[in-house]
Amino acid sequence: MGECNTMSIQVTRVSMPDLEEYIDEIKDLWDSHWITNMGAKHKQLEAELSSYLHAPYVTLFTNGHLALECAIAAFKLKGEVITTPFTFASTTHAIVQNGLEPVFCDINPHDYTIDTDQLESLITDKTSAIIPVHVYGNICNINEIERIAEQYNLKVIYDAAHAFGVTLDGVGVANFGDASIFSFHATKVFNTIEGGAVTFKNEALRKSLNELKNFGITGPESVESVGGNAKMNEFQAAMGICNLRHIDSEIAKRHAVFERYVERLSGIKGIRLGQIQPGVNSNYAYLPVIFDRYRLSRDEVFAKLKFQGIYARKYFYPLTNNMECYKDRFDVEKTPVAKEIADNVLTLPIYPDLELDQVDRICAIVLR
Ligand SMILES: *Cc1c(COP(=O)(O)O)cnc(C)c1O
């Protein structure tokens, strides 16, 4: 039996500019016939992002995953890299694809980022870097990570795929660590259809990053290093230029949706909502809810919502150290907090155009 308001709701919905705005933006590409290989749109977006993110240096990529793979490669790391399993498959895969050994540190139960109390105990003489994740846009314990990295001479590359535009005490997230990577995938707060970027502190890294994303080519007749192809094209960059014009109002709309969820779901026994950290200006990318001895399990809530056409996501489940491809290589029992959160978390739909009465409907189903 259908009710009139039962149209399906996905966990996210891509932000797109008006069609006319995009057409306007790509018109010059028909004049220049320059549609990839670091053209005018690419240069413009790189400059605009550098300013928006208050990033020291930025270089664009065709997606976030290759940005991360290339960032790791650019530092020429060896041996072991400490990371967390409560993340998207990409973070662990990028380490493994570089021939490095991921060593999993547990997360803390408050903001789901790397547990810096345990981090030091995992460092060996083979450790070369730490790759922490700003999960859901929550900022890692950057001061402690920096202290440890300095003491043991480790590189720090943040997976900031969730943290576009987030600031801590007014400082843009792109300023932490040696480098950070961002994802501009359609499902993220800011998109270039697919896309990504590496932000970095040391200018010298630009040469390696640019070679890694363009076959090591440095001139018409010179290939100085071994690299692949991970360039952002002009149509992607044009989409980014358009979307960046509207990013602040899109985040403000997310904020209103976020607040409505907090209003409806806070103070309910067995439901734990993500908190915005002190000093953090959030991008409201996700709405994680932990069902902690609630009368329904996470899977029951998930099924109830799905039955009504609402597609929440078990994000992140499974943990990366529990994925089939890494079977028998890692022990999930060594990251018990991550396991607990992965088993009980559900991210509810949140996107700028999600209507507040739809939020009410989603909450009513969760609470019914
Ligand atoms: C989305 C995401 C990535 C990968 O980005 P793509 O642009 O999809 O390649 C990496 N890490 C995390 C945590 C992500 O959420």
Side-chain angles (χ1 to χ4, degrees), residues 116-160:
T116 46
D117 290 341
Q118 292 180 27
L119 213 176
E120 242 172 309
S121 70
L122 297 169
I123 296 173
T124 70
D125 54 8
K126 296 200 189 93
T127 311
S128 60
I130 312 169
I131 304 191
V133 184
H134 298 305
V135 182
Y136 304 136
N138 294 334
I139 299 189
C140 299
N141 186 347
I142 49 150
N143 292 330
E144 188 59 9
I145 292 168
E146 188 177 319
R147 180 192 70 74
I148 294 168
E150 256 170 37
Q151 185 176 335
Y152 296 90
N153 193 24
L154 307 174
K155 296 291 179 202
V156 179
I157 304 169
Y158 284 105
D159 182 336

Short mmCIF file of all heavy atoms in Angstrom, two decimals, residues 116-160:
data_model
loop_
_atom_site.label_atom_id
_atom_site.label_comp_id
_atom_site.label_asym_id
_atom_site.label_seq_id
_atom_site.Cartn_x
_atom_site.Cartn_y
_atom_site.Cartn_z
N THR A 116 45.17 7.97 19.53
CA THR A 116 46.58 8.37 19.68
C THR A 116 47.21 7.79 20.96
O THR A 116 48.43 7.80 21.09
CB THR A 116 46.74 9.90 19.66
OG1 THR A 116 45.75 10.48 20.50
CG2 THR A 116 46.57 10.44 18.25
N ASP A 117 46.40 7.28 21.89
CA ASP A 117 46.97 6.62 23.07
C ASP A 117 47.63 5.29 22.70
O ASP A 117 48.48 4.79 23.44
CB ASP A 117 45.90 6.36 24.13
CG ASP A 117 45.41 7.65 24.77
OD1 ASP A 117 46.14 8.66 24.67
OD2 ASP A 117 44.31 7.65 25.34
N GLN A 118 47.19 4.70 21.58
CA GLN A 118 47.75 3.40 21.18
C GLN A 118 48.78 3.51 20.08
O GLN A 118 49.54 2.59 19.84
CB GLN A 118 46.62 2.49 20.66
CG GLN A 118 45.65 2.08 21.73
CD GLN A 118 44.56 1.18 21.19
OE1 GLN A 118 44.76 0.47 20.20
NE2 GLN A 118 43.41 1.20 21.82
N LEU A 119 48.74 4.64 19.39
CA LEU A 119 49.55 4.80 18.19
C LEU A 119 51.03 4.46 18.41
O LEU A 119 51.62 3.66 17.68
CB LEU A 119 49.41 6.24 17.72
CG LEU A 119 49.45 6.59 16.24
CD1 LEU A 119 49.20 8.06 16.03
CD2 LEU A 119 50.70 6.14 15.56
N GLU A 120 51.60 5.03 19.45
CA GLU A 120 53.03 4.89 19.70
C GLU A 120 53.45 3.43 19.87
O GLU A 120 54.54 3.03 19.45
CB GLU A 120 53.42 5.70 20.94
CG GLU A 120 54.41 6.77 20.61
CD GLU A 120 54.68 7.71 21.78
OE1 GLU A 120 53.69 8.23 22.36
OE2 GLU A 120 55.86 7.94 22.07
N SER A 121 52.57 2.63 20.50
CA SER A 121 52.92 1.24 20.78
C SER A 121 53.01 0.40 19.50
O SER A 121 53.51 -0.72 19.51
CB SER A 121 51.90 0.63 21.74
OG SER A 121 50.67 0.46 21.06
N LEU A 122 52.52 0.93 18.38
CA LEU A 122 52.54 0.18 17.12
C LEU A 122 53.75 0.53 16.25
O LEU A 122 53.98 -0.08 15.21
CB LEU A 122 51.25 0.45 16.33
CG LEU A 122 49.96 -0.02 17.03
CD1 LEU A 122 48.73 0.51 16.31
CD2 LEU A 122 49.91 -1.54 17.11
N ILE A 123 54.52 1.52 16.69
CA ILE A 123 55.68 1.94 15.90
C ILE A 123 56.81 0.93 16.04
O ILE A 123 57.14 0.49 17.14
CB ILE A 123 56.14 3.35 16.34
CG1 ILE A 123 55.03 4.38 16.04
CG2 ILE A 123 57.44 3.76 15.66
CD1 ILE A 123 55.28 5.77 16.59
N THR A 124 57.37 0.52 14.91
CA THR A 124 58.54 -0.38 14.92
C THR A 124 59.65 0.30 14.10
O THR A 124 59.45 1.40 13.57
CB THR A 124 58.22 -1.74 14.24
OG1 THR A 124 58.06 -1.52 12.83
CG2 THR A 124 56.95 -2.37 14.80
N ASP A 125 60.78 -0.39 13.96
CA ASP A 125 61.85 0.24 13.15
C ASP A 125 61.52 0.21 11.65
O ASP A 125 62.24 0.78 10.84
CB ASP A 125 63.23 -0.37 13.47
CG ASP A 125 63.24 -1.87 13.31
OD1 ASP A 125 62.22 -2.43 12.81
OD2 ASP A 125 64.25 -2.51 13.68
N LYS A 126 60.41 -0.45 11.30
CA LYS A 126 59.99 -0.46 9.89
C LYS A 126 58.96 0.62 9.57
O LYS A 126 58.62 0.84 8.40
CB LYS A 126 59.36 -1.82 9.55
CG LYS A 126 60.30 -3.00 9.66
CD LYS A 126 59.72 -4.16 8.83
CE LYS A 126 60.47 -5.45 9.04
NZ LYS A 126 59.85 -6.28 10.10
N THR A 127 58.42 1.28 10.61
CA THR A 127 57.36 2.26 10.36
C THR A 127 57.90 3.48 9.63
O THR A 127 58.92 4.04 10.03
CB THR A 127 56.73 2.71 11.70
OG1 THR A 127 56.41 1.55 12.46
CG2 THR A 127 55.48 3.54 11.47
N SER A 128 57.21 3.88 8.54
CA SER A 128 57.67 5.08 7.82
C SER A 128 56.64 6.20 7.82
O SER A 128 56.99 7.35 7.54
CB SER A 128 58.05 4.72 6.38
OG SER A 128 56.94 4.19 5.69
N ALA A 129 55.38 5.88 8.09
CA ALA A 129 54.36 6.94 8.00
C ALA A 129 53.12 6.58 8.80
O ALA A 129 52.91 5.43 9.19
CB ALA A 129 53.97 7.17 6.54
N ILE A 130 52.29 7.62 9.02
CA ILE A 130 50.97 7.45 9.62
C ILE A 130 49.96 8.00 8.62
O ILE A 130 50.16 9.09 8.07
CB ILE A 130 50.84 8.23 10.95
CG1 ILE A 130 52.05 7.96 11.86
CG2 ILE A 130 49.55 7.89 11.67
CD1 ILE A 130 52.13 8.91 13.06
N ILE A 131 48.93 7.22 8.34
CA ILE A 131 47.85 7.71 7.46
C ILE A 131 46.54 7.67 8.24
O ILE A 131 45.79 6.72 8.19
CB ILE A 131 47.77 6.91 6.14
CG1 ILE A 131 49.13 6.97 5.43
CG2 ILE A 131 46.65 7.48 5.25
CD1 ILE A 131 49.15 6.45 4.01
N PRO A 132 46.28 8.75 8.99
CA PRO A 132 45.03 8.82 9.76
C PRO A 132 43.90 9.35 8.86
O PRO A 132 44.16 9.96 7.83
CB PRO A 132 45.34 9.81 10.87
CG PRO A 132 46.76 10.29 10.64
CD PRO A 132 47.13 9.93 9.24
N VAL A 133 42.66 9.12 9.31
CA VAL A 133 41.49 9.52 8.52
C VAL A 133 40.64 10.49 9.35
O VAL A 133 40.32 10.19 10.50
CB VAL A 133 40.64 8.28 8.16
CG1 VAL A 133 39.46 8.66 7.26
CG2 VAL A 133 41.50 7.19 7.52
N HIS A 134 40.28 11.61 8.75
CA HIS A 134 39.34 12.54 9.42
C HIS A 134 37.92 12.01 9.17
O HIS A 134 37.17 12.57 8.37
CB HIS A 134 39.48 13.95 8.87
CG HIS A 134 40.82 14.58 9.06
ND1 HIS A 134 41.44 14.72 10.28
CD2 HIS A 134 41.68 15.15 8.16
CE1 HIS A 134 42.60 15.35 10.14
NE2 HIS A 134 42.77 15.61 8.86
N VAL A 135 37.57 10.95 9.89
CA VAL A 135 36.31 10.24 9.64
C VAL A 135 35.08 11.14 9.83
O VAL A 135 34.97 11.81 10.87
CB VAL A 135 36.19 9.04 10.60
CG1 VAL A 135 34.91 8.26 10.33
CG2 VAL A 135 37.40 8.14 10.47
N TYR A 136 34.19 11.14 8.88
CA TYR A 136 32.94 11.94 8.90
C TYR A 136 33.25 13.45 9.02
O TYR A 136 32.38 14.22 9.44
CB TYR A 136 32.03 11.56 10.08
CG TYR A 136 31.63 10.11 10.19
CD1 TYR A 136 31.67 9.46 11.43
CD2 TYR A 136 31.20 9.36 9.09
CE1 TYR A 136 31.28 8.14 11.56
CE2 TYR A 136 30.82 8.04 9.21
CZ TYR A 136 30.86 7.43 10.46
OH TYR A 136 30.48 6.12 10.59
N GLY A 137 34.48 13.84 8.71
CA GLY A 137 34.84 15.24 8.88
C GLY A 137 35.29 15.58 10.30
O GLY A 137 35.59 16.73 10.60
N ASN A 138 35.35 14.57 11.19
CA ASN A 138 35.91 14.78 12.53
C ASN A 138 37.43 14.87 12.40
O ASN A 138 38.05 14.05 11.72
CB ASN A 138 35.58 13.63 13.47
CG ASN A 138 34.09 13.53 13.76
OD1 ASN A 138 33.39 14.54 13.70
ND2 ASN A 138 33.63 12.34 14.07
N ILE A 139 38.01 15.85 13.04
CA ILE A 139 39.45 16.05 12.89
C ILE A 139 40.21 15.19 13.90
O ILE A 139 39.86 15.12 15.08
CB ILE A 139 39.80 17.55 13.03
CG1 ILE A 139 39.06 18.30 11.91
CG2 ILE A 139 41.30 17.77 12.96
CD1 ILE A 139 39.45 19.73 11.74
N CYS A 140 41.23 14.50 13.39
CA CYS A 140 42.08 13.65 14.22
C CYS A 140 42.78 14.50 15.29
O CYS A 140 42.84 15.73 15.18
CB CYS A 140 43.16 12.97 13.37
SG CYS A 140 42.49 11.91 12.08
N ASN A 141 43.35 13.83 16.26
CA ASN A 141 44.13 14.52 17.30
C ASN A 141 45.46 14.97 16.69
O ASN A 141 46.51 14.36 16.86
CB ASN A 141 44.36 13.55 18.46
CG ASN A 141 45.03 14.22 19.64
OD1 ASN A 141 45.54 15.34 19.53
ND2 ASN A 141 45.03 13.52 20.76
N ILE A 142 45.41 16.08 15.94
CA ILE A 142 46.55 16.49 15.12
C ILE A 142 47.79 16.84 15.93
O ILE A 142 48.91 16.58 15.48
CB ILE A 142 46.17 17.69 14.21
CG1 ILE A 142 45.47 18.76 15.04
CG2 ILE A 142 45.29 17.26 13.05
CD1 ILE A 142 45.68 20.13 14.54
N ASN A 143 47.60 17.41 17.12
CA ASN A 143 48.78 17.81 17.91
C ASN A 143 49.57 16.61 18.38
O ASN A 143 50.80 16.58 18.30
CB ASN A 143 48.36 18.66 19.11
CG ASN A 143 47.81 20.00 18.67
OD1 ASN A 143 48.23 20.53 17.61
ND2 ASN A 143 46.87 20.54 19.42
N GLU A 144 48.87 15.60 18.87
CA GLU A 144 49.53 14.39 19.35
C GLU A 144 50.16 13.64 18.17
O GLU A 144 51.29 13.14 18.28
CB GLU A 144 48.48 13.54 20.08
CG GLU A 144 49.00 12.34 20.80
CD GLU A 144 50.03 12.64 21.90
OE1 GLU A 144 50.24 13.82 22.23
OE2 GLU A 144 50.65 11.67 22.39
N ILE A 145 49.48 13.59 17.05
CA ILE A 145 50.03 12.91 15.87
C ILE A 145 51.31 13.62 15.41
O ILE A 145 52.32 12.98 15.10
CB ILE A 145 48.97 12.85 14.73
CG1 ILE A 145 47.83 11.90 15.14
CG2 ILE A 145 49.60 12.40 13.40
CD1 ILE A 145 46.59 11.97 14.25
N GLU A 146 51.28 14.94 15.45
CA GLU A 146 52.46 15.70 15.04
C GLU A 146 53.64 15.46 15.99
O GLU A 146 54.78 15.28 15.57
CB GLU A 146 52.11 17.20 15.01
CG GLU A 146 53.21 18.06 14.42
CD GLU A 146 52.80 19.53 14.35
OE1 GLU A 146 51.64 19.82 13.99
OE2 GLU A 146 53.65 20.38 14.66
N ARG A 147 53.32 15.41 17.29
CA ARG A 147 54.38 15.16 18.28
C ARG A 147 55.03 13.79 18.04
O ARG A 147 56.25 13.67 17.97
CB ARG A 147 53.79 15.20 19.70
CG ARG A 147 54.84 14.95 20.79
CD ARG A 147 54.23 14.70 22.16
NE ARG A 147 53.54 13.42 22.28
CZ ARG A 147 54.14 12.24 22.39
NH1 ARG A 147 55.47 12.15 22.37
NH2 ARG A 147 53.43 11.13 22.50
N ILE A 148 54.19 12.77 17.84
CA ILE A 148 54.70 11.41 17.62
C ILE A 148 55.50 11.34 16.32
O ILE A 148 56.59 10.78 16.26
CB ILE A 148 53.53 10.39 17.63
CG1 ILE A 148 52.89 10.33 19.02
CG2 ILE A 148 54.00 9.01 17.17
CD1 ILE A 148 51.56 9.57 19.08
N ALA A 149 54.96 11.96 15.27
CA ALA A 149 55.63 11.92 13.96
C ALA A 149 57.01 12.57 14.03
O ALA A 149 57.98 12.07 13.46
CB ALA A 149 54.77 12.62 12.91
N GLU A 150 57.09 13.66 14.79
CA GLU A 150 58.38 14.34 14.92
C GLU A 150 59.37 13.49 15.70
O GLU A 150 60.52 13.32 15.31
CB GLU A 150 58.19 15.69 15.62
CG GLU A 150 58.26 16.84 14.63
CD GLU A 150 57.84 18.15 15.24
OE1 GLU A 150 58.14 18.41 16.44
OE2 GLU A 150 57.17 18.92 14.53
N GLN A 151 58.89 12.93 16.79
CA GLN A 151 59.76 12.12 17.65
C GLN A 151 60.34 10.92 16.91
O GLN A 151 61.49 10.57 17.10
CB GLN A 151 58.99 11.67 18.89
CG GLN A 151 59.85 10.94 19.90
CD GLN A 151 59.07 10.60 21.16
OE1 GLN A 151 58.07 11.26 21.49
NE2 GLN A 151 59.51 9.57 21.86
N TYR A 152 59.52 10.27 16.07
CA TYR A 152 59.96 9.04 15.39
C TYR A 152 60.30 9.26 13.92
O TYR A 152 60.53 8.31 13.19
CB TYR A 152 58.88 7.96 15.51
CG TYR A 152 58.64 7.52 16.94
CD1 TYR A 152 57.69 8.16 17.74
CD2 TYR A 152 59.39 6.47 17.51
CE1 TYR A 152 57.48 7.76 19.05
CE2 TYR A 152 59.17 6.08 18.83
CZ TYR A 152 58.22 6.72 19.59
OH TYR A 152 58.01 6.34 20.89
N ASN A 153 60.28 10.53 13.50
CA ASN A 153 60.63 10.87 12.13
C ASN A 153 59.74 10.15 11.09
O ASN A 153 60.23 9.47 10.20
CB ASN A 153 62.12 10.55 11.90
CG ASN A 153 62.63 11.17 10.62
OD1 ASN A 153 62.07 12.15 10.13
ND2 ASN A 153 63.68 10.57 10.05
N LEU A 154 58.43 10.31 11.27
CA LEU A 154 57.47 9.67 10.38
C LEU A 154 56.75 10.73 9.54
O LEU A 154 56.56 11.85 9.99
CB LEU A 154 56.42 8.89 11.19
CG LEU A 154 56.95 7.88 12.20
CD1 LEU A 154 55.79 7.31 13.03
CD2 LEU A 154 57.72 6.77 11.49
N LYS A 155 56.37 10.36 8.32
CA LYS A 155 55.53 11.24 7.50
C LYS A 155 54.08 11.07 7.94
O LYS A 155 53.67 9.99 8.40
CB LYS A 155 55.64 10.86 6.02
CG LYS A 155 57.02 11.06 5.44
CD LYS A 155 57.36 12.53 5.35
CE LYS A 155 58.76 12.73 4.78
NZ LYS A 155 59.31 14.05 5.17
N VAL A 156 53.30 12.13 7.79
CA VAL A 156 51.87 12.06 8.08
C VAL A 156 51.09 12.51 6.85
O VAL A 156 51.25 13.62 6.36
CB VAL A 156 51.48 12.96 9.28
CG1 VAL A 156 49.98 12.89 9.54
CG2 VAL A 156 52.26 12.56 10.52
N ILE A 157 50.27 11.59 6.33
CA ILE A 157 49.38 11.91 5.20
C ILE A 157 47.95 11.70 5.71
O ILE A 157 47.58 10.58 6.06
CB ILE A 157 49.64 10.99 3.99
CG1 ILE A 157 51.11 11.05 3.56
CG2 ILE A 157 48.71 11.37 2.84
CD1 ILE A 157 51.49 9.98 2.54
N TYR A 158 47.19 12.77 5.76
CA TYR A 158 45.79 12.62 6.22
C TYR A 158 44.88 12.25 5.06
O TYR A 158 44.96 12.86 3.99
CB TYR A 158 45.28 13.93 6.84
CG TYR A 158 45.83 14.16 8.23
CD1 TYR A 158 46.83 15.10 8.46
CD2 TYR A 158 45.34 13.43 9.31
CE1 TYR A 158 47.33 15.30 9.74
CE2 TYR A 158 45.83 13.63 10.59
CZ TYR A 158 46.83 14.56 10.80
OH TYR A 158 47.32 14.76 12.06
N ASP A 159 44.02 11.26 5.30
CA ASP A 159 42.92 11.02 4.38
C ASP A 159 41.81 11.96 4.81
O ASP A 159 41.11 11.72 5.80
CB ASP A 159 42.47 9.55 4.46
CG ASP A 159 41.34 9.25 3.47
OD1 ASP A 159 40.62 10.19 3.09
OD2 ASP A 159 41.18 8.07 3.10
N ALA A 160 41.70 13.08 4.08
CA ALA A 160 40.73 14.12 4.41
C ALA A 160 39.55 14.09 3.43
O ALA A 160 38.89 15.11 3.21
CB ALA A 160 41.41 15.49 4.41
#
